[in-house]
Amino acid sequence: MGKGVFLCCIMVMFLSSAYAQTCSNYAFSSNRVFSACNDLPVLNSFLHYTYNPSSQTLSIAYRHTNVDSSRWVAWAINPTSQGMAGSQALVAFQQSDGSMRAYTSPITGYTTQLAEGDLSFPVSDLSATYSNNEIVIFATLGLQNVSSTMNQVWQEGQVSGNVPSVHATSGDNIRSMGTLNVLSGQSGSAGGAAGSSSKTKKRNIHGVLNAISWGIMMPLGAIVARYLRVFQSADPAWFYLHVTCQTSAYIIGVAGWATGIRLGSQSPGIQFTSHRIIGIILFCVATLQVIALLVRPKKEHKHRIYWNIYHHSLGYSIIVLGIINIFKGFDILNPEKKWERAYTAIIVLLAIVAALLEAYTWFVVLRRRKAADAEKMTNSNGYGNNGNNGRYPYTERTNGRA
């Protein structure tokens, strides 16, 4: 009986929580009522609004739930384009003294500090509240020069010393945009989300290409070159297999790199500096490695040892940089954890295989060296005692003259 009551209570709490997270069921404590509302797709956000066609004004209440007092929130209309640049924003956060600050901020570029300023349309009755981990922004907008279908953007970030800090540039923070039709009472993703979906697809392609090339094929090609050459029967097959693997990895990697450069040019305000720098260095080093293959000296050449040092150093640098940058890419894309775990498992497996082959390689090399030393000793003894009956070959060739 007790367990049944407990389970019922849990179910009621769960259903109540789910019920509360839809805008149509929400009741404002101030008894404000709005004619329409939309559940925004990301960042725990909801928009309530009433549009008055005769006065062309839009009364809004933007709710942002599950947010603590150290964060700022913003909702904006972009009259000119999709995305952040050009947005006319309403910003709110709780100040260090506990009071709420709500103000307008025109976004002129991607490096904005959300400075206070007038918008391109009039704003009145601007205020904000914070309670139960929820910030609500209230305002009335004059939309005389704005079409009925608008681009909307919403965002959140950290507050430091009563000053909004830059928001995150990955995950839901770059998907928080869409359209709003104040006449039909519908919001959608016809423009913003379609563009976002396209960019997400390109990001995924970029990530997959780089993970396969720099992150898997390059280490695999290095393993082939280092350990298959120990087997004499594998010569020269190991070389062609190594070249094929690394060349294919380079071609795929360049395609992934080019996709990343394209994504960067399409999103000038979103910069992943370290990821980008490592990617450029990786491409340059890999290109030098491919060029070096064309000028590889023969085994007998006196400069071959220097080429080997150069080749091995660049090769291992490419592998290390590639793996580091792939994990940085995971942090940026923020995919499901199973993909990062799968790649980690592959790298760990390759490392285990390399460690086992390294041990076996040293075993084979030392055994061959020991056998060679024994054979050399045998030949030396036989040559000195039996080959010339105890006489020095040099004396033999010089007729006894020293």
Side-chain angles (χ1 to χ4, degrees), residues 15-346:
L15 292 175
S16 298
S17 175
Y19 189 77
Q21 294 306 310
T22 60
C23 68
S24 60
N25 306 317
Y26 187 84
F28 290 94
S29 58
S30 56
N31 294 323
R32 300 195 193 197
V33 178
F34 296 88
S35 60
C37 71
N38 295 126
D39 300 332
L40 301 180
V42 294
L43 296 182
N44 303 311
S45 299
F46 308 87
L47 181 67
H48 304 253
Y49 56 95
T50 298
Y51 180 63
N52 188 330
S54 59
S55 61
Q56 292 186 306
T57 58
L58 180 69
S59 298
I60 68 104
Y62 169 71
R63 295 172 44 230
H64 196 113
T65 63
N66 296 330
V67 60
D68 60 48
S69 58
S70 64
R71 300 187 70 80
W72 59 265
V73 303
W75 178 83
I77 289 176
N78 193 329
T80 58
S81 64
Q82 301 169 1
M84 181 177 176
S87 296
Q88 307 296 297
L90 310 177
V91 185
F93 61 88
Q94 188 178 54
Q95 301 182 101
S96 56
D97 62 2
S99 63
M100 290 299 296
R101 184 186 179 197
Y103 64 96
T104 58
S105 177
I107 311 301
T108 57
Y110 286 96
T111 57
T112 179
Q113 297 297 315
L114 294 177
E116 186 171 357
D118 294 331
L119 304 187
S120 60
F121 48 80
V123 177
S124 59
D125 302 326
L126 178 60
S127 64
T129 62
Y130 176 74
S131 64
N132 299 322
N133 294 327
E134 180 180 272
I135 294 179
V136 184
I137 301 176
F138 298 98
T140 300
L141 317 178
L143 301 179
Q144 286 80 5
N145 298 319
V146 180
S147 63
S148 59
T149 301
M150 303 171 293
N151 301 307
Q152 63 172 332
V153 184
W154 60 99
Q155 199 54 259
E156 68 166 352
Q158 193 73 27
V159 175
S160 178
N162 287 337
V163 177
S165 301
V166 177
H167 65 79
T169 54
S170 62
D172 288 342
N173 290 87
I174 61 172
R175 291 190 282 269
S176 54
M177 63 182 72
T179 58
L180 173 66
N181 190 314
V182 295
L183 293 180
S184 66
Q186 294 180 348
S187 67
S189 54
S196 176
S197 176
S198 176
K199 284 186 179 180
T200 300
K201 184 177 180 180
K202 289 179 182 178
R203 284 174 175 235
N204 291 336
I205 292 173
H206 167 71
V208 169
L209 291 176
N210 286 318
I212 291 174
S213 56
W214 310 118
I216 297 176
M217 294 183 69
M218 280 289 180
L220 187 61
I223 290 174
V224 168
R226 180 165 178 80
Y227 302 116
L228 286 191
R229 64 195 306 174
V230 173
F231 304 98
Q232 295 177 350
S233 59
D235 192 18
W238 70 264
F239 173 76
Y240 295 111
L241 186 60
H242 169 67
V243 170
T244 300
C245 192
Q246 302 305 74
T247 304
S248 301
Y250 175 76
I251 294 171
I252 296 171
V254 169
W257 178 80
T259 305
I261 293 296
R262 176 64 176 166
L263 281 169
S265 65
Q266 291 177 342
S267 306
I270 302 175
Q271 295 290 337
F272 305 105
T273 306
S274 59
H275 182 70
R276 184 183 181 89
I277 291 174
I278 293 175
I280 293 173
I281 293 174
L282 188 59
F283 168 74
C284 294
V285 173
T287 302
L288 289 174
Q289 184 78 306
V290 171
I291 294 174
L293 220 99
L294 303 176
V295 294
R296 183 173 65 103
K298 294 182 178 180
K299 292 182 180 180
E300 302 79 15
H301 198 282
K302 62 180 180 179
H303 292 148
R304 177 59 182 259
I305 185 174
Y306 303 111
W307 185 90
N308 286 340
I309 294 172
Y310 168 88
H311 181 66
H312 294 157
S313 299
L314 261 63
Y316 291 126
S317 298
I318 291 170
I319 293 171
V320 172
L321 289 173
I323 293 174
I324 290 173
N325 221 25
I326 286 166
F327 280 105
K328 284 186 174 292
F330 278 122
D331 292 337
I332 294 169
L333 281 174
N334 193 26
E336 293 182 33
K337 288 297 182 183
K338 64 180 181 180
W339 300 112
E340 186 172 357
R341 292 193 192 105
Y343 177 71
T344 302
I346 292 172

